[in-house]
Amino acid sequence: MSVPDALSPALRAEALEQLLVERGLVDPAGLDQLITTYESDIGPLNGAKVVARAWTDPDYKRRLLANGTAAIAEMGFAGPQSEHIVVVENTASVHNVVVCTLCSCYPWPVLGLPPTWYKDPAYRARVVKEPRTVLAEMGLCLDDNVRIIVRDSSSEVRWLVLPERPAGTEHLSEAELTGLVTRDAMVGVAKVSAVTAPR
Amino acid sequence: MDSIADMGGTDGWGPVPVPRKDEPVFAERWHARVYVLTRFIRGEISGRNLDAFRHSLERLDRDTYLNNGYYGRWLAGSELMLTDSAILAPGAVDARARNLRGDDVAEPPVPEPNKPDYPETDSSWRRELDRPPAFSVGQRVRAKDLSPEGHTRLPRYARGHTGVVELIQPASVFPDTNAHFLGENPQHVYTVLFESRELWGTDAEPFSVTIEMYEPYLEAAA
């Protein structure tokens, strides 16, 4: 691909779109609308609301762990890449972390589109072989007695991590808790901190 | 098929990028255009077949797969799906891109599409099966040592290894046939838990990995 006059992907994308639009196969307005949806409406805030509710409503948490898809749909979140979501709980002794080694499968309706690190070959290749090392590189050092379970999303099943509720947050409301929950914690490469962080 | 896309356990990639809290959804505008174009191409224009799209990704050569990142491979995979189904002629995107940058090249004529006539029985991948699952929760199973020529979702790092069924998932369209428009061929799906030392040897970090396995990938183990 390093030929001197290689065409940039941006140019190739423009060419592809033009070819499909002029044959009436796609509608540019439909494309714009879908971009706006993923830039504005679908993102990790959805998953954060699910987590905060599970932390404050024990009955909801039970439903979420028993049938993630249905409990998430209760909150109004459904769509492609989430027809069957399994929610697993991280605790002081068990730590789940999610990957897709074969592509980059990810639960879009609750987390939005995957971040760069999730799609990177280094993460996809290494987290199934040396997760403790990878998590430490990413800033999460787990005690030796914590059991790590890596969830490789090789089918259409999607995994969502219910992070551990941090100590010192007992007085916070569901809305305040929502503000603490990060995307990285819901994939399992971070813990939730009691201090507000940008999502 | 064995391919660059099957990355689990491969070496030489260096450190994982540090997560950025303020990462935009789309770092460049062409990423956004490719994301939505691909959704339409794989979902409507070239048959409703996500498995066929994944198969187009696994047929990319190493440089095409890696050089322009996630959306670069989506773009190349989309082009491949469209030329496979003769919605675009080979070289059509190339020629148009050259003309867009000011060259003056002839564009190939629009071909006769051979888009597979493949009615889906349901818009979801989930299917009801009359037959019961062959394996049960808690049972020891071995991932077969298969290396099929076509599409598969059986990662190389699991092949030949033994694990335990943790969960039985909803039955699903079978990617290995569906990707080739050869039938939905629905199968039971299992979450199988493997111990790290079974996969990577005695020096491995202690941990477990679960992988979703379609029933034809598995056999009973002692």
Side-chain angles (χ1 to χ4, degrees):
Chain A
M1 294 298 281
S2 55
V3 271
D5 71 339
L7 297 157
S8 73
L11 198 59
R12 296 186 73 90
E14 189 184 344
L16 175 62
E17 180 171 343
Q18 219 176 61
L19 288 166
L20 296 176
V21 168
E22 69 190 21
R23 283 170 56 192
L25 294 171
V26 292
D27 168 16
L31 299 179
D32 293 340
Q33 191 181 10
L34 193 56
I35 291 173
T36 304
T37 300
Y38 277 88
E39 285 191 323
S40 317
D41 303 335
I42 301 179
L45 178 60
N46 292 1
K49 288 176 180 170
V50 170
V51 168
R53 181 160 174 208
W55 283 348
T56 51
D57 177 348
D59 198 50
Y60 182 75
K61 179 178 168 181
R62 258 192 304 279
R63 295 203 297 283
L64 184 67
L65 293 174
N67 184 341
T69 321
I72 287 166
E74 272 181 49
M75 306 276 289
F77 309 131
Q81 294 293 310
S82 286
E83 288 168 52
H84 189 75
I85 303 182
V86 181
V87 181
V88 281
E89 183 179 15
N90 280 356
T91 66
S93 57
V94 177
H95 187 91
N96 292 274
V97 54
V98 181
V99 64
C100 169
T101 62
L102 295 173
C103 33
S104 296
C105 296
Y106 195 73
W108 294 350
V110 275
L111 295 185
L113 299 180
T116 301
W117 60 261
Y118 186 85
K119 301 174 287 194
D120 193 274
Y123 182 76
R124 288 170 53 191
R126 294 178 54 212
V127 81
V128 293
K129 193 171 182 183
E130 44 176 0
R132 199 172 288 275
T133 305
V134 167
L135 292 174
E137 269 176 34
M138 298 176 82
L140 178 62
C141 294
L142 294 172
D143 290 344
D144 285 346
N145 59 1
V146 174
R147 181 179 181 215
I148 297 177
I149 308 175
V150 183
R151 304 293 184 174
D152 187 356
S153 315
S154 56
S155 78
E156 301 302 338
V157 173
R158 296 291 169 267
W159 296 86
L160 181 72
V161 172
L162 173 59
E164 194 180 4
R165 181 171 176 171
T169 59
E170 295 74 13
H171 60 291
L172 296 183
S173 68
E174 187 177 326
E176 289 168 323
L177 289 167
T178 301
L180 299 181
V181 182
T182 62
R183 171 195 69 205
D184 294 353
M186 292 183 280
V187 185
V189 300
K191 290 192 178 212
V192 176
S193 157
V195 182
T196 312
R199 188 167 292 106
Chain B
M1 60 182 283
D2 296 341
S3 84
I4 179 71
D6 182 2
M7 291 188 155
T10 57
D11 298 305
W13 300 109
V16 173
V18 175
R20 277 180 51 197
K21 300 290 183 200
D22 57 348
E23 183 179 323
V25 175
F26 299 110
E28 300 190 44
R29 286 329 287 167
W30 71 266
H31 293 177
R33 301 314 285 182
V34 166
Y35 172 73
V36 293
L37 272 175
T38 302
R39 289 279 301 272
F40 280 99
I41 290 165
R42 76 185 189 196
E44 294 175 22
I45 298 170
S46 186
R48 295 175 188 276
N49 198 324
L50 177 57
D51 297 312
F53 174 65
R54 293 199 181 114
H55 182 51
S56 75
L57 295 179
E58 70 185 349
R59 283 180 291 154
L60 302 177
D61 65 58
R62 184 186 173 85
D63 284 350
T64 308
Y65 191 87
L66 294 174
N67 285 0
N68 294 305
Y70 181 69
Y71 291 109
R73 66 185 79 113
W74 274 42
L75 175 61
S78 285
E79 280 188 54
L80 190 52
M81 274 196 95
L82 291 169
T83 50
D84 275 354
S85 49
I87 291 164
L88 292 181
V93 172
D94 232 82
R96 177 61 60 92
R98 283 177 201 288
N99 287 331
L100 278 172
R101 76 173 179 193
D103 299 355
D104 183 14
V105 301
E107 297 192 15
V110 173
E112 190 64 37
N114 63 2
K115 183 176 156 187
D117 182 11
Y118 193 70
E120 58 185 353
T121 58
D122 188 285
S123 62
S124 159
W125 50 268
R126 292 177 65 155
R127 295 291 180 271
E128 295 297 325
L129 279 184
D130 290 336
R131 61 180 189 274
F135 308 107
S136 51
V137 171
Q139 184 173 355
R140 283 171 60 77
V141 288
R142 183 165 37 245
K144 293 178 187 170
D145 195 5
L146 303 171
S147 188
E149 276 181 38
H151 182 58
T152 188
R153 298 292 288 178
L154 172 58
R156 266 175 295 191
Y157 77 90
R159 295 176 191 171
H161 291 292
T162 298
V164 174
V165 175
E166 181 191 15
L167 295 166
I168 299 180
Q169 302 289 2
S172 167
V173 169
F174 190 40
D176 300 42
T177 50
N178 192 48
H180 301 277
F181 294 88
L182 291 173
E184 293 184 343
N185 191 17
Q187 301 293 335
H188 290 292
V189 178
Y190 306 84
T191 295
V192 180
L193 187 129
F194 297 89
E195 292 306 326
S196 59
R197 284 169 184 158
E198 164 70 14
L199 297 173
W200 309 114
T202 49
D203 293 331
E205 290 178 7
F207 67 98
S208 312
V209 185
T210 65
I211 306 172
E212 273 71 59
M213 294 280 186
Y214 295 84
E215 194 167 274
Y217 300 165
L218 295 174
E219 58 196 4

